[in-house]
Amino acid sequence: MLHTPRGGAGQGAATAESRLMSIGTALNLLRDEFPEVTISKIRFLESEGLVDPVRTPSGYRKFSPEDVERLAQVLRMQRDHYLPLKVIREHLVAVERGEAAVPSVPERRRSDNGDSAVSDGRTVALIGRAELLAAAQADESELTEWESYGLIAPVEGGGYPRETVEVAKLLAALGGLGIEPRHLRAMKGAADRQALLVDQLVGALRRHRNPKTRAAAEERTKELAGLTVELHAALVRTALGVRLP
């Protein structure tokens, strides 16, 4: 649960205005639970109608504690239930009407052999911390720093998705060329937005009851992911004016 600022003892009930906070303060509160969240993500969720902060006469956003908690609910439902924003928006409206409850965090557990996790019925292959470090030829301090910037994160209960190995190898290689993790936060934010776009397009189909529909959605997801990666690479090459082999 988020802990939002409150008035001190003896100050009486806080006025509505005194409880409001800047987008930076809201971001810091959310990052305790969601280290990867960015100001751009908050603005995007606002543009999608998930939160409606008040505006000062000069145009600055001001968030209430309720706004911050609502953002946290949205981020949890994205992270834990893989829900598209349209579904989240409809669900929150139903919650406000008393017609539904905010879903709880799904069970996520290690398998008996310790190399997989189950979340929402999806099995994710895992590796341990030592195995990840060995595969990336990195040390503990490097991994800790990558995690601090949200570039790599373990699943609940421990372990890392096996796809993390490729990320770690690339981070180590870039680090060897002088690119630090703090330089890559924008790239991680862009990747999150690309993933969000793909999920909005096919997320509901991936959770469809029909196995054929789910299989087709997985193929479409792979196709979209591949195209977004190719587009990103092409945009970088164009911006630098170089041609890669």
Side-chain angles (χ1 to χ4, degrees), residues 193-205:
R193 289 190 293 273
Q194 289 173 348
L196 180 61
L197 175 61
V198 172
D199 186 67
Q200 287 175 328
L201 293 172
V202 298
L205 296 178

Side-chain angles (χ1 to χ4, degrees), residues 107-119 122-127 155-159 162:
E107 180 181 4
R108 187 187 296 265
R109 61 188 182 275
R110 297 295 298 274
S111 65
D112 293 338
N113 59 12
D115 61 358
S116 67
V118 179
S119 178
R122 299 171 62 197
T123 301
V124 180
L126 300 179
I127 62 172
V155 301
E156 184 179 344
R162 288 193 176 274

